[in-house]
Amino acid sequence: VGSLDNIPSNFTLPGMSSANDTANAIKNATRYDIGVRIFEDFASSWYWILIGLLIAMLLSLLFLLLLRFTAPVLVWVLIVGVLAADAYGIWHCYWEYNNYKNSNTTINTIGFTTNFSAYLQVKETWLAFMIILCVVEAILLLILLFLRKRILIAIALIQEASKAVGHMMSTLVYPLVTFALLLICVAYWGITALYLATSGPPIYNVVALNASAPGCGSIRGNQTCDPLSFNSSLYSPCSSAQCIFIKYNNEGLFQRNMFNLQIYNVLGLLWCVNFVIALGQCSLAGAFASYYWAFSKPADIPAFPLCQAFFRTLQYHVGSLAFGALILTLVQFIRVVLEYIDHKFREVQNPCARFIMCCLKCCFWCLEKFIKFLNRNAYIMIAIYGKNFCVSAKNAFKLLMRNIVRVVVLDKVTDILLFFGKLLVVGGVGVLALFFFSGRIQLPGNTFQAGVLNYYWVPIITVAVGAYLIAHGFFSVYSMCVDTLFLCFLEDLERNDGSAQKPYYMSKNLMKILGKKNQVKK
């Protein structure tokens, strides 16, 4: 059939009463056939998919460990690359401007047009581009000149984070614990939602499957029945009468408040998810803080630091984590309500109401990002000092505001490096999977053939998505390590002076960059 939506009215399959039934049957069969083929592709290539995910895990781990040695090179290569790209853009704009310098065509002669390529044929456009790029280049050079020491501090902290992860490799496995806990939360929410939806007693009605048959006209589908004691002979001569489930009763007090209970269930899901994430962040922060505050590394690092931090968090800090998760949950719930209202009334909103709704969604999105940032640093302070959430959030916020330039530099340098790492892992594994599953790479003694796959893009997409999730899990631990060491570093600078009574706990590389040293007793 060329088009399933244009089946002739006289075309019907055996047992079908109309062309619509035939089209639906063909569509369902087509979907079923595609699903079966995809399942066959997974069945024939699942072990190669696992190998691809294992390669992604090894690449992520190798990249994190090599940052100890390659972080300075990568950062400066990226900075020089941005400056060189900007300089090339300036030269190209000048070259284009020189080509159109003697042209009589100007912006005024072109006017306003939807053909944007016409603006690229006048000298004023390239002159404007060249001026903008020159200003950007000058700003970047000034930033590099005045923030050179802060960039060096960020690189040293990234190297120190690599050392911490190398000494505590068990922290890289913790994302699996978070994933398992999140899976439990989602499963509990789904089961609860299903029980709520089916909480009322079922209603069964007598229905005639063939209403046009003799004696079935009087059966209108509003007669209740019991499926266990139903006797079809009572409705003779209608042989197609059956007792069929219609719906669940929604007339009770409990059933009338079903929507409110489902909202409460969603609120509980968001709270549990945020609490599990907070538990992971506080546990990892406790482990990495124990690394920083060990004076002689790695000799003074406690045994099983992650396990100790996890149980310490469960014993002392559950209330603080729940309170922080509740604040974030309320903001997320308001965003969900706004999205629901916008979806329901999108067609009847006037431009003013749509603008107000867009502003509200944008404001609460920014508020959610800020609370996530504040909670993350508050959990680090909780892991270090053991104080409650409000005090820890206030101390973390003040500490970061006193060092706002260092915060911005470290955040951006870390984001660039981790983005480069994700791009390297996902791109490398994805290209390798493309060449392998498309048959361009044949391993010696390999019995797998690309021709056995119905859709070779199925394992490729699976490997790429799995590689991204694996890299994100590894790099999230590394990012938490960098943030924890950074807060510890700021606290170390403010509380200690290098004397014998208050020595610095930072690495020798950081002390060298800052021009500080510890005084040692003779």
Side-chain angles (χ1 to χ4, degrees):
V1 179
S3 175
L4 297 177
D5 297 324
N6 298 313
I7 294 179
S9 58
N10 58 351
F11 176 75
T12 57
L13 292 174
M16 301 294 172
S17 59
S18 65
N20 290 331
D21 295 338
T22 301
N24 292 331
I26 294 175
K27 289 179 181 179
N28 293 332
T30 304
R31 296 191 188 101
Y32 177 77
D33 185 55
I34 293 175
V36 169
R37 291 182 179 181
I38 292 176
F39 182 78
E40 290 176 351
D41 291 340
F42 279 118
S44 59
S45 61
W46 63 271
Y47 44 91
W48 295 108
I49 293 176
L50 292 180
I51 292 175
L53 298 179
L54 181 62
I55 294 174
M57 184 179 67
L58 293 177
L59 284 177
S60 302
L61 180 61
L62 184 62
F63 180 81
L64 293 181
L65 296 179
L66 288 179
L67 278 180
R68 184 189 309 181
F69 311 102
T70 60
V73 178
L74 288 177
V75 171
W76 290 115
V77 165
L78 290 173
I79 292 174
V80 172
V82 171
L83 293 175
D86 201 340
Y88 172 77
I90 294 173
W91 176 83
H92 183 78
C93 291
Y94 174 77
W95 183 74
E96 293 285 352
Y97 171 78
N98 195 36
N99 289 339
Y100 294 105
K101 184 170 61 176
N102 299 324
S103 176
N104 295 325
T105 306
T106 61
I107 293 289
N108 294 328
T109 59
I110 293 177
F112 178 76
T113 178
T114 57
N115 184 16
F116 294 102
S117 61
Y119 293 109
L120 299 178
Q121 299 175 5
V122 294
K123 60 182 180 180
E124 287 89 348
T125 303
W126 294 106
L127 180 62
F129 286 163
M130 184 173 64
I131 293 173
I132 293 172
L133 290 177
C134 287
V135 172
V136 172
E137 185 82 2
I139 293 174
L140 290 176
L141 289 174
L142 289 175
I143 290 174
L144 184 63
L145 180 63
F146 288 103
L147 300 181
R148 181 179 60 86
K149 181 177 288 188
R150 289 177 173 84
I151 294 175
L152 293 176
I153 293 174
I155 294 173
L157 285 172
I158 291 172
Q159 291 178 298
E160 197 68 18
S162 296
K163 294 180 183 178
V165 172
H167 289 300
M168 294 182 288
M169 296 292 291
S170 59
T171 55
L172 296 176
V173 187
Y174 190 83
L176 296 178
V177 178
T178 302
F179 177 76
L181 294 176
L182 291 177
L183 197 62
I184 293 173
C185 293
V186 174
Y188 181 78
W189 165 79
I191 293 172
T192 305
L194 185 61
Y195 271 104
L196 288 175
T198 59
S199 58
I203 298 177
Y204 294 88
N205 286 350
V206 180
V207 177
L209 299 182
N210 189 3
S212 60
C216 296
S218 60
I219 301 176
R220 301 298 179 183
N222 55 2
Q223 304 177 30
T224 60
C225 60
D226 186 0
L228 299 178
S229 61
F230 179 74
N231 188 2
S232 60
S233 62
L234 298 176
Y235 299 91
S236 179
C238 183
S239 60
S240 63
Q242 293 185 10
C243 186
I244 296 178
F245 168 78
I246 300 299
K247 63 177 181 178
Y248 287 97
N249 186 11
N250 56 1
E251 297 179 357
L253 177 63
F254 183 81
Q255 284 73 30
R256 286 197 299 269
N257 293 277
M258 187 66 62
F259 183 73
N260 298 332
L261 294 173
Q262 292 287 9
I263 292 177
Y264 179 77
N265 190 29
V266 172
L267 192 64
L269 171 67
L270 294 176
W271 195 359
C272 290
V273 168
N274 290 324
F275 176 79
V276 169
I277 295 174
L279 177 63
Q281 290 177 346
C282 192
S283 300
L284 290 172
F288 293 128
S290 66
Y291 168 84
Y292 185 92
W293 298 112
F295 190 76
S296 299
K297 304 175 180 64
D300 293 342
I301 299 176
F304 307 106
L306 181 60
C307 294
Q308 289 189 22
F310 180 76
F311 291 114
R312 185 167 59 247
T313 302
L314 289 179
Q315 185 175 1
Y316 297 108
H317 309 316
V318 171
S320 297
L321 301 185
F323 182 72
L326 178 61
I327 297 175
L328 181 58
T329 299
L330 294 177
V331 177
Q332 291 177 339
F333 186 72
I334 294 175
R335 288 193 62 202
V336 171
V337 172
L338 289 176
E339 290 290 344
Y340 177 78
I341 295 174
D342 186 42
H343 177 73
K344 284 293 183 181
F345 300 100
R346 184 181 296 272
E347 296 181 358
V348 297
Q349 286 177 353
N350 55 32
C352 182
R354 194 175 297 114
F355 173 75
I356 294 175
M357 182 62 68
C358 183
C359 291
L360 286 174
K361 293 196 297 185
C362 181
C363 290
F364 278 97
W365 179 83
C366 295
L367 181 61
E368 181 185 355
K369 293 296 181 183
F370 173 75
I371 291 178
K372 283 184 177 180
F373 172 78
L374 187 62
N375 283 4
R376 182 184 179 92
N377 292 281
Y379 299 149
I380 296 174
M381 297 298 285
I382 289 172
I384 297 174
Y385 292 106
K387 297 181 180 180
N388 61 54
F389 176 83
C390 295
V391 175
S392 299
K394 181 188 69 174
N395 294 338
F397 183 75
K398 289 183 177 180
L399 182 63
L400 293 175
M401 289 301 103
R402 290 195 296 268
N403 301 272
I404 187 62
V405 179
R406 287 173 175 169
V407 173
V408 174
V409 172
L410 178 68
D411 185 60
K412 296 308 174 185
V413 170
T414 306
D415 287 345
I416 290 174
L417 281 180
L418 296 186
F419 173 76
F420 180 75
K422 288 181 182 179
L423 189 65
L424 180 65
V425 173
V426 177
V429 175
V431 170
L432 182 63
L434 173 63
F435 280 95
F436 179 77
F437 289 110
S438 61
R440 302 179 190 178
I441 296 179
Q442 290 292 336
L443 299 177
N446 180 20
T447 58
F448 175 79
Q449 299 293 330
V452 302
L453 296 177
N454 299 300
Y455 310 107
Y456 69 89
W457 48 264
V458 171
I460 295 175
I461 294 177
T462 305
V463 170
V465 173
Y468 174 79
L469 294 177
I470 291 173
H472 179 73
F474 277 102
F475 294 166
S476 64
V477 174
Y478 189 82
S479 177
M480 194 68 198
C481 180
V482 173
D483 291 344
T484 303
L485 296 183
F486 179 61
L487 278 182
C488 294
F489 166 72
L490 297 179
E491 284 285 322
D492 193 11
L493 278 179
E494 293 191 357
R495 294 183 177 274
N496 301 318
D497 54 8
S499 62
Q501 292 77 21
K502 295 181 179 180
Y504 290 117
Y505 287 81
M506 67 184 74
S507 63
K508 294 181 179 180
N509 191 16
L510 284 169
M511 285 193 286
K512 181 180 179 181
I513 293 172
L514 296 173
K516 299 180 181 297
K517 61 180 180 179
N518 283 330
Q519 298 177 6
V520 183
K521 286 185 178 181
K522 293 184 180 179

